[in-house]
Amino acid sequence: MKTKSGPGPITFDPAHPYILNFTGKHPTYLVADLTNPILQPWAAELMRKANEAVLAGHVPFRARESCWPPGVPTFLVYALATPLYFLQTRNMVGIFYQGGPELRHVYMDVPHSAHPALSWYGESVGHYEGDSFVVDTIGLNERTFVDNYRTPHTSQLHVVERYRLTDSGNMLEVAFQVEDPGAFTTSWSAIQRFRRVHRAPMSELPCVESTVHYFNYETFPVPIADKPDF
């Protein structure tokens, strides 16, 4: 993610730089920079414990590896190695990855519910402002993180995304703002960009339950509901 001016998202601890896989170097897990001033003390403390576990050799939680819905705005960094698709109808826009598959519903030109039930992806409503597709999301449960650094949030989380095509339609830029007075000291913003590519039709790439104890590592188990959501 790239930040706009002003407070930005959590990035890696400079003392423990993040190295991606397939770079010819030994890859590392994400260790969060806890000096970022956006964090409330309780959130920073949770992340400190997560950092310590990673540095002690444990495999950190990542939604995709345990078949967890990533939530919002983590959906934008959920699985960048797989395509992002849009399906637009008169009243709804579906945004989804083939992995999972993970699907978000954005209901067009309607207000938010007065008291939306909390859910993995919350309640998203959208509209167009010129050439920008604006998505406003509330009603997110507290079982997700806002990024891959395991930054927590509360049910007060409010995310506004602005999708816009640039570079003659070859780039999708998503500028988003995050507010959560329960977890952050201030609102913050970032930008994610996607490159248009020409691919074959979408293929199935399901996340399945066999990822538990993958390679004998202690991974987070897949989420299991003990009662229906509705």
Side-chain angles (χ1 to χ4, degrees):
M1 294 183 186
K2 293 183 179 294
T3 181
K4 298 168 67 176
S5 60
I10 299 297
T11 57
F12 61 78
D13 183 345
H16 303 281
Y18 177 51
I19 301 174
L20 286 165
N21 203 354
F22 309 115
T23 61
K25 300 179 181 179
H26 183 70
T28 61
Y29 287 120
L30 295 166
V31 177
D33 179 7
L34 303 185
T35 65
N36 191 316
I38 68 171
L39 294 172
Q40 295 275 11
W42 72 266
E45 176 60 17
L46 283 180
M47 297 176 71
R48 181 187 64 79
K49 293 178 180 178
N51 279 356
E52 290 176 351
V54 172
L55 295 173
H58 293 276
V59 177
F61 171 84
R62 295 186 72 170
R64 172 64 181 167
E65 294 170 0
S66 298
C67 304
W68 284 61
V72 180
T74 322
F75 188 87
L76 297 172
V77 293
Y78 183 56
L80 293 181
T82 62
L84 182 67
Y85 293 87
F86 292 82
L87 175 64
Q88 182 166 334
T89 68
R90 178 178 299 177
N91 300 316
M92 187 270 291
V93 174
I95 311 175
F96 52 99
Y97 285 110
Q98 64 186 17
E102 294 296 331
L103 170 65
R104 290 178 60 191
H105 297 85
V106 181
Y107 298 98
M108 298 299 294
D109 301 313
V110 294
H112 276 298
S113 303
H115 302 287
L118 300 182
S119 61
W120 292 99
Y121 287 120
E123 180 183 80
S124 294
V125 298
H127 65 277
Y128 280 95
E129 294 180 4
D131 62 355
S132 295
F133 174 45
V134 182
V135 180
D136 189 298
T137 302
I138 60 174
L140 292 147
N141 67 33
E142 298 180 359
R143 301 183 70 184
T144 65
F145 298 103
V146 300
D147 54 31
N148 283 332
Y149 288 93
R150 302 167 297 284
T151 304
H153 67 84
T154 73
S155 59
Q156 300 176 68
L157 181 64
H158 178 201
V159 182
V160 178
E161 302 154 274
R162 293 178 177 271
Y163 294 75
R164 186 171 68 92
L165 290 172
T166 62
D167 188 24
S168 300
N170 293 310
M171 183 80 72
L172 176 66
E173 178 180 283
V174 189
F176 60 96
Q177 184 170 20
V178 177
E179 296 178 337
D180 183 351
F184 305 121
T185 59
T186 184
S187 62
W188 53 271
S189 59
I191 295 175
Q192 184 65 282
R193 294 185 175 93
F194 300 87
R195 171 71 61 180
R196 182 193 293 273
V197 295
H198 297 285
R199 301 178 61 95
M202 188 180 77
S203 58
E204 288 190 50
L205 189 62
C207 191
V208 295
E209 291 80 356
S210 62
T211 54
V212 177
H213 300 303
Y214 192 54
F215 291 132
N216 295 318
Y217 284 118
E218 261 186 50
T219 57
F220 282 73
V222 298
I224 299 174
D226 56 4
K227 61 182 179 180
D229 289 333
F230 52 87

Tab-separated table of all heavy atoms in Angstrom, residues 101-127:
chain	number	residue	atom	x	y	z
A	101	PRO	N	-13.767	-18.849	-3.153
A	101	PRO	CA	-13.694	-17.476	-3.666
A	101	PRO	C	-14.180	-16.466	-2.631
A	101	PRO	O	-15.050	-16.779	-1.826
A	101	PRO	CB	-14.648	-17.521	-4.870
A	101	PRO	CG	-15.643	-18.578	-4.507
A	101	PRO	CD	-14.897	-19.608	-3.710
A	102	GLU	N	-13.588	-15.288	-2.638
A	102	GLU	CA	-13.971	-14.229	-1.718
A	102	GLU	C	-14.794	-13.201	-2.465
A	102	GLU	O	-14.375	-12.704	-3.520
A	102	GLU	CB	-12.727	-13.574	-1.110
A	102	GLU	CG	-11.931	-14.494	-0.212
A	102	GLU	CD	-12.696	-14.933	1.021
A	102	GLU	OE1	-13.568	-14.166	1.492
A	102	GLU	OE2	-12.430	-16.038	1.517
A	103	LEU	N	-15.961	-12.868	-1.937
A	103	LEU	CA	-16.903	-12.000	-2.640
A	103	LEU	C	-17.413	-10.904	-1.722
A	103	LEU	O	-17.801	-11.167	-0.582
A	103	LEU	CB	-18.081	-12.822	-3.170
A	103	LEU	CG	-19.280	-12.050	-3.735
A	103	LEU	CD1	-18.873	-11.275	-4.979
A	103	LEU	CD2	-20.420	-13.011	-4.048
A	104	ARG	N	-17.409	-9.677	-2.232
A	104	ARG	CA	-18.030	-8.550	-1.538
A	104	ARG	C	-19.206	-8.056	-2.368
A	104	ARG	O	-19.114	-7.963	-3.593
A	104	ARG	CB	-17.034	-7.400	-1.360
A	104	ARG	CG	-15.921	-7.672	-0.379
A	104	ARG	CD	-14.972	-6.489	-0.325
A	104	ARG	NE	-15.642	-5.260	0.103
A	104	ARG	CZ	-15.088	-4.048	0.026
A	104	ARG	NH1	-13.879	-3.905	-0.483
A	104	ARG	NH2	-15.757	-2.987	0.439
A	105	HIS	N	-20.296	-7.709	-1.690
A	105	HIS	CA	-21.462	-7.125	-2.343
A	105	HIS	C	-21.494	-5.632	-2.025
A	105	HIS	O	-21.450	-5.247	-0.852
A	105	HIS	CB	-22.759	-7.763	-1.840
A	105	HIS	CG	-22.877	-9.224	-2.133
A	105	HIS	ND1	-22.331	-10.203	-1.313
A	105	HIS	CD2	-23.475	-9.882	-3.153
A	105	HIS	CE1	-22.593	-11.386	-1.814
A	105	HIS	NE2	-23.276	-11.234	-2.936
A	106	VAL	N	-21.568	-4.807	-3.048
A	106	VAL	CA	-21.696	-3.361	-2.871
A	106	VAL	C	-23.050	-2.963	-3.453
A	106	VAL	O	-23.275	-3.078	-4.669
A	106	VAL	CB	-20.565	-2.598	-3.585
A	106	VAL	CG1	-20.721	-1.095	-3.350
A	106	VAL	CG2	-19.196	-3.076	-3.098
A	107	TYR	N	-23.961	-2.499	-2.605
A	107	TYR	CA	-25.311	-2.162	-3.043
A	107	TYR	C	-25.350	-0.691	-3.453
A	107	TYR	O	-24.915	0.194	-2.707
A	107	TYR	CB	-26.305	-2.465	-1.927
A	107	TYR	CG	-26.299	-3.940	-1.585
A	107	TYR	CD1	-25.561	-4.420	-0.505
A	107	TYR	CD2	-26.968	-4.858	-2.384
A	107	TYR	CE1	-25.515	-5.782	-0.223
A	107	TYR	CE2	-26.927	-6.222	-2.115
A	107	TYR	CZ	-26.198	-6.667	-1.029
A	107	TYR	OH	-26.144	-8.015	-0.765
A	108	MET	N	-25.853	-0.450	-4.649
A	108	MET	CA	-25.708	0.843	-5.290
A	108	MET	C	-26.839	1.818	-4.948
A	108	MET	O	-28.019	1.454	-4.929
A	108	MET	CB	-25.628	0.662	-6.810
A	108	MET	CG	-24.429	-0.152	-7.277
A	108	MET	SD	-22.854	0.607	-6.833
A	108	MET	CE	-22.930	2.091	-7.856
A	109	ASP	N	-26.425	3.053	-4.702
A	109	ASP	CA	-27.337	4.200	-4.564
A	109	ASP	C	-28.410	3.975	-3.511
A	109	ASP	O	-29.587	4.306	-3.703
A	109	ASP	CB	-27.971	4.519	-5.924
A	109	ASP	CG	-26.922	4.854	-6.974
A	109	ASP	OD1	-26.021	5.652	-6.673
A	109	ASP	OD2	-26.985	4.285	-8.077
A	110	VAL	N	-28.002	3.412	-2.377
A	110	VAL	CA	-28.902	3.241	-1.242
A	110	VAL	C	-28.162	3.691	0.015
A	110	VAL	O	-26.928	3.663	0.063
A	110	VAL	CB	-29.361	1.771	-1.087
A	110	VAL	CG1	-30.226	1.343	-2.259
A	110	VAL	CG2	-28.167	0.839	-0.926
A	111	PRO	N	-28.901	4.114	1.061
A	111	PRO	CA	-28.240	4.484	2.310
A	111	PRO	C	-27.875	3.256	3.125
A	111	PRO	O	-28.355	2.138	2.856
A	111	PRO	CB	-29.312	5.313	3.026
A	111	PRO	CG	-30.598	4.723	2.543
A	111	PRO	CD	-30.357	4.344	1.093
A	112	HIS	N	-27.034	3.445	4.131
A	112	HIS	CA	-26.742	2.360	5.061
A	112	HIS	C	-27.984	2.027	5.886
A	112	HIS	O	-28.848	2.875	6.113
A	112	HIS	CB	-25.616	2.764	6.012
A	112	HIS	CG	-24.243	2.560	5.452
A	112	HIS	ND1	-23.762	1.317	5.093
A	112	HIS	CD2	-23.246	3.451	5.209
A	112	HIS	CE1	-22.519	1.443	4.647
A	112	HIS	NE2	-22.192	2.722	4.694
A	113	SER	N	-28.058	0.793	6.338
A	113	SER	CA	-29.088	0.404	7.287
A	113	SER	C	-28.874	1.177	8.591
A	113	SER	O	-27.748	1.577	8.914
A	113	SER	CB	-29.019	-1.096	7.578
A	113	SER	OG	-29.126	-1.851	6.392
A	114	ALA	N	-29.940	1.356	9.347
A	114	ALA	CA	-29.819	2.086	10.611
A	114	ALA	C	-28.913	1.346	11.591
A	114	ALA	O	-28.091	1.961	12.285
A	114	ALA	CB	-31.203	2.292	11.212
A	115	HIS	N	-29.043	0.028	11.635
A	115	HIS	CA	-28.234	-0.780	12.555
A	115	HIS	C	-27.825	-2.073	11.847
A	115	HIS	O	-28.394	-3.142	12.107
A	115	HIS	CB	-29.025	-1.095	13.830
A	115	HIS	CG	-29.497	0.113	14.567
A	115	HIS	ND1	-28.652	0.936	15.286
A	115	HIS	CD2	-30.739	0.667	14.677
A	115	HIS	CE1	-29.343	1.921	15.817
A	115	HIS	NE2	-30.604	1.791	15.454
A	116	PRO	N	-26.826	-2.015	10.958
A	116	PRO	CA	-26.436	-3.220	10.220
A	116	PRO	C	-25.858	-4.280	11.150
A	116	PRO	O	-25.118	-3.967	12.088
A	116	PRO	CB	-25.384	-2.708	9.237
A	116	PRO	CG	-24.844	-1.463	9.866
A	116	PRO	CD	-25.991	-0.851	10.596
A	117	ALA	N	-26.215	-5.528	10.899
A	117	ALA	CA	-25.629	-6.632	11.663
A	117	ALA	C	-24.142	-6.731	11.337
A	117	ALA	O	-23.725	-6.515	10.196
A	117	ALA	CB	-26.339	-7.939	11.322
A	118	LEU	N	-23.328	-7.029	12.343
A	118	LEU	CA	-21.895	-7.141	12.129
A	118	LEU	C	-21.585	-8.406	11.330
A	118	LEU	O	-22.159	-9.468	11.567
A	118	LEU	CB	-21.155	-7.186	13.464
A	118	LEU	CG	-21.342	-5.973	14.379
A	118	LEU	CD1	-20.514	-6.145	15.654
A	118	LEU	CD2	-20.967	-4.676	13.666
A	119	SER	N	-20.657	-8.294	10.378
A	119	SER	CA	-20.305	-9.424	9.527
A	119	SER	C	-18.861	-9.280	9.064
A	119	SER	O	-18.200	-8.254	9.289
A	119	SER	CB	-21.249	-9.507	8.322
A	119	SER	OG	-21.152	-8.338	7.530
A	120	TRP	N	-18.359	-10.323	8.378
A	120	TRP	CA	-16.965	-10.344	7.929
A	120	TRP	C	-16.653	-9.176	6.991
A	120	TRP	O	-15.582	-8.580	7.058
A	120	TRP	CB	-16.674	-11.650	7.203
A	120	TRP	CG	-16.691	-12.866	8.067
A	120	TRP	CD1	-17.727	-13.753	8.207
A	120	TRP	CD2	-15.642	-13.345	8.915
A	120	TRP	NE1	-17.380	-14.760	9.082
A	120	TRP	CE2	-16.110	-14.539	9.527
A	120	TRP	CE3	-14.363	-12.894	9.205
A	120	TRP	CZ2	-15.331	-15.274	10.419
A	120	TRP	CZ3	-13.589	-13.629	10.085
A	120	TRP	CH2	-14.065	-14.801	10.680
A	121	TYR	N	-17.571	-8.879	6.071
A	121	TYR	CA	-17.330	-7.820	5.099
A	121	TYR	C	-18.187	-6.581	5.352
A	121	TYR	O	-18.131	-5.628	4.578
A	121	TYR	CB	-17.561	-8.331	3.679
A	121	TYR	CG	-16.462	-9.255	3.214
A	121	TYR	CD1	-16.741	-10.562	2.852
A	121	TYR	CD2	-15.142	-8.829	3.175
A	121	TYR	CE1	-15.731	-11.413	2.447
A	121	TYR	CE2	-14.124	-9.680	2.775
A	121	TYR	CZ	-14.425	-10.967	2.410
A	121	TYR	OH	-13.419	-11.820	2.014
A	122	GLY	N	-18.966	-6.609	6.418
A	122	GLY	CA	-19.760	-5.453	6.752
A	122	GLY	C	-20.836	-5.159	5.716
A	122	GLY	O	-21.171	-5.999	4.877
A	123	GLU	N	-21.366	-3.966	5.795
A	123	GLU	CA	-22.371	-3.504	4.832
A	123	GLU	C	-21.734	-2.435	3.949
A	123	GLU	O	-21.315	-1.389	4.435
A	123	GLU	CB	-23.581	-2.925	5.566
A	123	GLU	CG	-24.667	-2.426	4.625
A	123	GLU	CD	-25.814	-1.784	5.367
A	123	GLU	OE1	-25.683	-0.597	5.756
A	123	GLU	OE2	-26.844	-2.460	5.571
A	124	SER	N	-21.651	-2.717	2.657
A	124	SER	CA	-21.030	-1.791	1.710
A	124	SER	C	-22.088	-1.198	0.790
A	124	SER	O	-22.869	-1.940	0.181
A	124	SER	CB	-19.966	-2.504	0.864
A	124	SER	OG	-18.872	-2.926	1.660
A	125	VAL	N	-22.124	0.129	0.710
A	125	VAL	CA	-23.000	0.818	-0.236
A	125	VAL	C	-22.120	1.662	-1.144
A	125	VAL	O	-21.057	2.145	-0.742
A	125	VAL	CB	-24.057	1.685	0.484
A	125	VAL	CG1	-24.967	0.821	1.349
A	125	VAL	CG2	-23.401	2.778	1.326
A	126	GLY	N	-22.542	1.835	-2.393
A	126	GLY	CA	-21.693	2.523	-3.352
A	126	GLY	C	-22.454	3.501	-4.220
A	126	GLY	O	-23.676	3.462	-4.331
A	127	HIS	N	-21.698	4.391	-4.836
A	127	HIS	CA	-22.230	5.329	-5.816
A	127	HIS	C	-21.070	5.837	-6.655
A	127	HIS	O	-19.897	5.610	-6.326
A	127	HIS	CB	-22.954	6.497	-5.141
A	127	HIS	CG	-22.050	7.374	-4.317
A	127	HIS	ND1	-21.688	7.080	-3.007
A	127	HIS	CD2	-21.408	8.547	-4.626
A	127	HIS	CE1	-20.888	8.021	-2.546
A	127	HIS	NE2	-20.689	8.922	-3.507
